[in-house]
Amino acid sequence: MNYTIDGLHELLGDDAFQALFRHEPVPVWLATATPREGKTAPLASLVRLLLLGEPQSAEEISALFCLAGHDLADFLDSGLFHMEDSGLYRVALDVRPVDTGFGNHWVFSDLDGALFPAATHEDHVLGVGEASLSLLRATPLDTVDSLLDIGTGCGIQALHGSHYARRIIATDLSPRCCELAAATLAINGVSVVPEGSLLQEKTVPSGPRAEIRQAPWFDAVADHEFDAIVANPPFVVASEKITHSYRDSGLDLDGATELMVRQSPHYLKEGGHATILGAWVHEQDKDYRARLAQWVPPEGVDVWIVERDCVDPALYVATWMRDSGRDPADPRWRDYAAQWLRHFADHGVASIGFGVVFMRKTAGPSTVLVEELTAPEGDALAAESLSRWERWDNLQQWSTEELLSQRFALSPQAVFFDTATPSSDGQGTHISSYSVYRRDIPSFHHVIDEPLRTVLNGLCRDGLSAGDVAELLCTVQDWDWNIFRPAVCSALHALYLHGIITL
């Protein structure tokens, strides 16, 4: 049976396939009812069993998986199913295909109640949601020897890491997470080795190997450094009370993200990088960027914090309550929501930001840059996070004269945008502003003026330096170069940092 993303698409068709990922079960029920007599009948039955929660008999499951006797008994007793009073078996775990960018894989997690009723519990193991996918898309894919996955959950980040890392240490505080992460890796052919053996190996493994360690935060790797760290920790901004281990850290407000930013550099090799999902509070009448910068150690790390979204406390609380199956409209949970919102109010929380923290271990003074990139950036951030460090190093090393001496060129992704508004006399239009942005990262957007646009149009790797182009424009227009020069330098710095002009 082709129980893969492509197989589901072929079985269900476009509409029902999209409905599946919107958590709408009825179109999927209808699509799997039709082909039951054809060659896709086994796959349709499997979809109903595993994704729609249809109870099936032992005989039906035996036929689906080609098992009998003791093998069937062991399979039914493996924890994947539970037997109902009727004697039929209903799926007890979520097992679904996912494409991590390296072809089809399968992931084990707890049932999320999206397609049929299922309760969440304190040690609930979350499946592959939007947060996990956003971290996958943001993670650099350069080949490394060692990877540390903090808060592995269902194991999706460790599984993704098996395509670019040789040795993977995946940690989680929850025993259940460790069990399901190990199952996720095993079903996808990633070798899971006994704890304590992987980092002691002297030879390079022929294929990816993983080790699962049960421990909070960095406790399981106290004496080790890694080439890369990836983390989707329990970063939900709340009080210190833990109600769901997959989201609550036991640290007040944004303490989980603060811990990761402060401690991650200690576990990176020089030149190593970390990609961390996190959330942080915006305090009333205070600059949140200054607060985040205080978390960064003074030496040894470059940090780029990208805020992808920012919401008010009421929306934040309602969203996470629904995520855990607690309806904010249900009177039973009214006090729960009120306590959460009062906690925010008591600490002056005006809003909550969410995003990605990129880090690189260095041997020099730390640097911090916080940016708000709220437009959909697709998969561009992963590659951007690595090239960003190279451009940042150049900008830190260049003097003003060296910056002006570079022979830049416009990136193929650069797009110019002119805004026309009605003329003052009401007849016709005139260009009121000029801007330039990157097609692959639209949030890298800069408003420029006409002289700077002329300079940018004159850039060429085989031509004059950027400074010479700008100075030539001043000569032609009879402008004072000394007055124009600071604006040119500031623009070149910002546009190069954002990859709108390149070397």
Side-chain angles (χ1 to χ4, degrees), residues 170-236:
T171 74
D172 205 291
L173 174 63
S174 163
R176 186 167 177 79
C177 283
C178 292
E179 291 174 3
L180 292 188
T184 291
L185 293 171
I187 198 174
N188 291 287
V190 179
S191 177
V192 179
V193 302
E195 183 175 333
S197 62
L198 189 59
L199 297 180
Q200 308 304 321
E201 295 178 344
K202 302 300 182 183
T203 59
V204 176
S206 57
R209 292 156 69 81
E211 195 178 299
I212 309 292
R213 299 185 180 185
Q214 183 195 339
W217 306 110
F218 295 95
D219 289 8
V221 293
D223 301 322
H224 298 289
E225 293 179 335
F226 297 83
D227 298 305
I229 295 173
V230 63
N232 183 8
F235 58 75
V236 170

Side-chain angles (χ1 to χ4, degrees), residues 120 236 243-244 246-247 313-341:
T120 59
V236 170
T243 60
H244 291 81
Y246 73 87
R247 70 174 200 193
L315 176 58
Y316 189 82
V317 169
T319 299
W320 281 106
M321 285 184 65
R322 291 189 181 95
D323 180 81
S324 62
R326 298 176 174 183
D327 186 352
D330 189 329
R332 292 177 300 171
W333 301 114
R334 191 173 295 153
D335 288 344
Y336 178 86
Q339 289 173 11
W340 199 340
L341 288 170

Side-chain angles (χ1 to χ4, degrees), residues 109-362:
S109 65
D110 278 320
L111 300 171
D112 60 9
L115 293 171
F116 62 93
T120 59
H121 37 81
E122 288 189 5
D123 61 348
H124 182 84
V125 180
L126 206 60
V128 181
E130 280 305 312
S132 298
L133 293 174
S134 67
L135 183 56
L136 287 183
R137 291 191 289 264
T139 302
L141 300 180
D142 58 321
T143 301
V144 298
D145 178 66
S146 58
L147 169 69
L148 173 62
D149 174 16
I150 294 286
T152 191
C154 65
I156 183 61
Q157 306 301 330
L159 176 61
H160 185 242
S162 69
H163 292 278
Y164 61 86
R166 298 182 184 89
R167 297 179 175 92
I168 304 150
I169 303 294
T171 74
D172 205 291
L173 174 63
S174 163
R176 186 167 177 79
C177 283
C178 292
E179 291 174 3
L180 292 188
T184 291
L185 293 171
I187 198 174
N188 291 287
V190 179
S191 177
V192 179
V193 302
E195 183 175 333
S197 62
L198 189 59
L199 297 180
Q200 308 304 321
E201 295 178 344
K202 302 300 182 183
T203 59
V204 176
S206 57
R209 292 156 69 81
E211 195 178 299
I212 309 292
R213 299 185 180 185
Q214 183 195 339
W217 306 110
F218 295 95
D219 289 8
V221 293
D223 301 322
H224 298 289
E225 293 179 335
F226 297 83
D227 298 305
I229 295 173
V230 63
N232 183 8
F235 58 75
V236 170
V237 178
S239 68
E240 298 173 354
K241 184 178 180 180
I242 297 177
T243 60
H244 291 81
S245 60
Y246 73 87
R247 70 174 200 193
D248 300 321
S249 66
L251 301 173
D252 196 26
L253 295 176
D254 49 15
T257 304
E258 178 181 357
L259 182 150
M260 290 299 303
V261 172
R262 289 187 183 277
Q263 295 193 14
S264 291
H266 302 299
Y267 300 92
L268 283 173
K269 297 177 182 178
E270 187 170 338
H273 55 79
T275 311
I276 303 163
L277 282 188
W280 40 83
V281 301
H282 291 224
E283 295 175 302
Q284 195 74 44
D285 300 324
K286 293 183 180 179
D287 185 350
Y288 79 97
R289 289 165 291 199
R291 183 168 175 274
L292 298 184
Q294 293 175 355
W295 298 349
V296 178
E299 297 284 333
V301 63
D302 291 327
V303 181
W304 180 33
I305 300 177
V306 177
E307 182 170 274
R308 305 302 307 276
D309 197 7
C310 185
V311 300
D312 64 77
L315 176 58
Y316 189 82
V317 169
T319 299
W320 281 106
M321 285 184 65
R322 291 189 181 95
D323 180 81
S324 62
R326 298 176 174 183
D327 186 352
D330 189 329
R332 292 177 300 171
W333 301 114
R334 191 173 295 153
D335 288 344
Y336 178 86
Q339 289 173 11
W340 199 340
L341 288 170
R342 278 196 291 266
H343 188 67
F344 281 163
D346 291 343
H347 290 82
V349 177
S351 55
I352 301 94
F354 164 83
V356 187
V357 180
F358 298 97
M359 311 181 81
R360 178 185 60 160
K361 184 72 171 286
T362 70

Side-chain angles (χ1 to χ4, degrees), residues 366-429:
S366 295
T367 63
V368 186
L369 179 64
V370 182
E371 294 189 281
E372 298 171 359
L373 307 183
T374 56
E377 315 298 357
D379 300 334
L381 283 181
E384 174 65 17
S385 66
L386 294 180
S387 56
R388 163 66 65 103
W389 301 131
E390 180 181 349
R391 298 196 299 268
W392 181 250
D393 287 343
N394 287 337
L395 289 170
Q396 296 301 298
Q397 295 166 8
W398 289 339
S399 66
T400 300
E401 290 302 326
E402 288 172 326
L403 174 64
L404 290 169
S405 70
Q406 302 303 314
R407 287 176 168 80
F408 294 112
L410 286 167
S411 164
Q413 294 290 341
V415 176
F416 287 92
F417 187 82
D418 300 341
T419 301
T421 56
S423 301
S424 57
D425 60 4
Q427 182 177 4
T429 61

